Amino acid sequence: MNTERGYEKPSDGELKKMLTKRQYDVTQKKGTEPAFRNEYWDNEREGIYVDVVSGEALFSSEDKFRSGSGWPSFSKPLEPENIVKQRESGLDKRIEVRSKHAGSHLGHLFEDGPPPTGKRYCMNSAALRFIPKEELEEKGYPEYLHLFEEDR
């Protein structure tokens, strides 16, 4: 959930209990999961993707596309204010993407995405939790139901 919903990042000890080893490694230690062997790379269901740590809304299936990279890729964030971008040091100087409220490492931003944005937010499934459109209301995200209405 976001700060308006009373979000507080759990302690490191709580994170180790609530997350799998891979989720912890990805979100807290900047790890990367294997391409094509992760939960959401080929998910085509309608819904939103939230931070596995905080629940803050990050991406929509409406902006998801098949990039061929083996990771879930999005052309833009659902809630740009929940995304923090920072240039990494090192040889390739990639742009790291983190969640704002939890500080979770999510993945990287590349400039080789589809029009109209030209962006590819290449995310780790382990950093995300998928909320199907039919569960948005019960999981506390009713404000996103309009994204999936047929006559919008």
Side-chain angles (χ1 to χ4, degrees):
M1 43 180 128
N2 63 30
T3 53
E4 291 77 30
R5 294 179 180 164
Y7 167 74
E8 289 183 25
K9 182 178 179 180
S11 70
D12 194 59
E14 291 172 306
L15 287 173
K16 286 179 178 175
K17 290 178 187 172
M18 70 183 261
L19 301 175
T20 67
K21 183 178 181 330
R22 175 163 286 154
Q23 288 171 327
Y24 183 86
D25 181 56
V26 167
T27 61
Q28 307 304 303
K29 303 293 184 191
K30 288 179 62 172
T32 301
E33 64 196 356
F36 301 104
R37 292 192 331 231
N38 58 76
E39 190 170 4
Y40 303 127
W41 78 272
D42 62 348
N43 182 29
E44 295 184 1
R45 295 178 64 198
E46 291 183 310
I48 66 169
Y49 295 82
V50 302
D51 183 323
V52 71
V53 171
S54 67
E56 59 199 280
L58 300 171
F59 298 98
S60 167
S61 61
E62 296 292 293
D63 303 306
K64 188 172 186 287
F65 67 96
R66 285 191 176 267
S67 66
S69 68
W71 290 281
S73 297
F74 305 88
S75 59
K76 65 181 183 181
L78 174 59
E79 297 291 353
E81 65 274 10
N82 289 343
I83 297 287
V84 175
K85 298 175 268 191
Q86 55 193 41
R87 187 160 300 279
E88 292 181 330
S89 57
L91 296 175
D92 57 6
K93 296 192 189 299
R94 297 183 300 183
I95 297 174
E96 179 189 13
V97 178
R98 289 186 164 268
S99 64
K100 179 179 180 182
H101 302 289
S104 300
H105 170 75
L106 304 171
H108 294 91
L109 173 59
F110 300 97
E111 300 290 331
D112 60 0
T117 67
K119 308 284 187 201
R120 175 170 57 100
Y121 287 82
C122 187
M123 303 293 100
N124 286 285
S125 292
L128 305 173
R129 180 167 51 97
F130 178 69
I131 314 286
K133 72 176 181 179
E134 50 282 337
E135 295 178 20
L136 288 172
E137 191 155 5
E138 76 179 71
K139 300 283 185 181
Y141 300 91
E143 66 271 32
Y144 300 109
L145 282 167
H146 74 278
L147 296 172
F148 308 104
E149 293 173 357
E150 294 193 24
D151 59 341
R152 61 178 178 106

